[in-house]
Amino acid sequence: MLIDSHAHLDDRRFDIDRKKIIKNMENDGIEIILHPGADMTSSVKAVNTAEKHKNIYAAVGFHPHSAKEMDEDSLQIIKSLAKKEKVIAIGEIGLDYHYDNSPRDIQRKWFIEQIRLAKELKLPFIVHDREAHGDILKILKEEQYEGMKGIIHCYSGSYEMAVEFIKLGFMISIAGPVTFKNARRVKEVVKKIPLENLLIETDSPYLAPEPKRGRRNEPAYVRYVASEIAEIKDISFEKVAEATSENFIKFFNL
Ligand code: NI
């Protein structure tokens, strides 16, 4: 069984078959899905879906794209959502300097505020890092606290940076791009980082792995990520499935 540590099931591209996907999870070999929020609406949806389904857990928070919509009131609402039983993390939060959908200073402000919320609530947090590796690492070092832990989702940085993140208490979550031919850097990360520090995810509906590249991604395709990791590390698929699932369950104390 596999665990998809990051799937946006609330996305409208799942409107036609969301129920079926959730119902078929077990048949598709998916033990657990972690459904992150990206703004207020999706955080509420993530919590609702998790409350209805035993094998789905939620994270709540504002993605850097939506940072410009955030204010003190929304931070308080996220805080109250985060106290619900099926919420196991704050996220996804972080910085996106590729799209710059929110001004960078606003992105940094709410990234920091949400890290502090995670600290207060003793929850791990899920980090989105797109072309912002330096600032992410700087902020994590400045905000570091006893017991800090989280996930760097859809990891795209270097091996050296991954080592830094792991030292700070983070898991490295590998997504579909690892299956792309030109993804030399992330393949190198997978090769060198011990299995015990890795999680797997789809980030669906985005970033479908080979051989589904270009289509809508879905949780069942996390198996292509696992099999690519198995190939890179020259170990069995079962070993990758077992280890990444165990890592997830241990990390969140489930
Ligand atoms: Ni995401």
Side-chain angles (χ1 to χ4, degrees):
M1 295 294 264
L2 299 160
I3 294 180
D4 184 354
S5 76
H6 198 107
H8 297 277
L9 293 175
D10 62 298
D11 192 277
R12 59 181 172 75
R13 278 177 278 176
F14 288 121
D15 285 352
I16 45 160
D17 58 355
R18 182 178 297 106
K19 278 189 186 141
K20 201 174 103 200
I21 285 176
I22 293 172
K23 195 165 148 258
N24 287 346
M25 268 175 70
E26 239 179 271
N27 286 332
D28 288 334
I30 309 297
E31 188 182 356
I32 291 172
I33 295 173
L34 174 50
H35 183 335
D39 56 21
M40 191 58 80
T41 309
S42 69
S43 294
V44 170
K45 284 182 178 170
V47 173
N48 287 342
T49 304
E51 284 179 341
K52 273 189 235 142
H53 303 281
K54 194 167 99 276
N55 297 336
I56 299 177
Y57 291 86
V60 294
F62 274 65
H63 190 285
H65 288 344
S66 308
K68 59 180 182 292
E69 299 160 19
M70 217 177 169
D71 57 20
E72 286 303 327
D73 287 344
S74 41
L75 185 67
Q76 290 312 311
I77 300 171
I78 290 295
K79 182 174 171 177
S80 62
L81 285 171
K83 291 176 178 167
K84 306 239 180 201
E85 200 192 331
K86 289 297 289 293
V87 176
I88 58 173
I90 297 295
E92 58 180 289
I93 64 176
L95 302 174
D96 193 312
Y97 292 173
H98 178 77
Y99 288 107
D100 282 321
N101 286 352
S102 298
R104 291 185 182 182
D105 58 330
I106 303 288
Q107 292 189 42
R108 288 189 288 266
K109 171 183 162 61
W110 292 109
F111 180 39
I112 292 168
E113 291 289 342
Q114 292 181 97
I115 291 172
R116 291 176 182 169
L117 178 64
K119 177 184 179 186
E120 184 188 337
L121 299 177
K122 297 188 166 62
L123 283 173
F125 56 95
I126 301 167
V127 176
H128 172 103
D129 167 14
R130 182 114 191 239
E131 292 172 24
H133 309 315
D135 272 5
I136 294 270
L137 199 56
K138 179 169 164 272
I139 288 172
L140 291 179
K141 282 181 173 165
E142 283 167 3
E143 295 296 318
Q144 195 179 2
Y145 56 89
E146 176 78 29
M148 179 168 86
K149 60 188 226 171
I151 298 172
I152 311 293
H153 114 83
C154 192
Y155 189 71
S156 62
S158 66
Y159 165 73
E160 291 73 19
M161 187 96 44
V163 170
E164 295 282 311
F165 285 131
I166 290 166
K167 273 194 228 153
L168 285 164
F170 287 81
M171 299 294 285
I172 303 297
S173 186
I174 304 296
V178 74
T179 65
F180 301 167
K181 267 209 181 71
N182 60 359
R184 256 205 351 236
R185 192 156 72 164
V186 63
K187 286 183 203 287
E188 187 202 345
V189 168
V190 166
K191 197 172 181 75
K192 291 186 177 169
I193 294 289
L195 203 48
E196 65 186 37
N197 301 114
L198 298 181
L199 297 174
I200 52 175
E201 64 170 273
T202 56
D203 200 16
S204 48
Y206 312 104
L207 293 169
E210 294 288 1
K212 307 285 184 185
R213 193 172 182 178
R215 294 196 220 172
R216 182 197 71 175
N217 200 0
E218 54 184 271
Y221 298 167
V222 77
R223 67 174 177 273
Y224 298 113
V225 176
S227 79
E228 181 70 27
I229 294 174
E231 195 158 309
I232 294 169
K233 285 191 156 316
D234 197 19
I235 53 178
S236 70
F237 176 86
E238 288 71 26
K239 172 111 199 208
V240 174
E242 194 188 359
T244 52
S245 296
E246 250 182 50
N247 292 346
F248 184 94
I249 286 164
K250 244 202 257 169
F251 183 81
F252 287 108
N253 289 319
L254 298 177

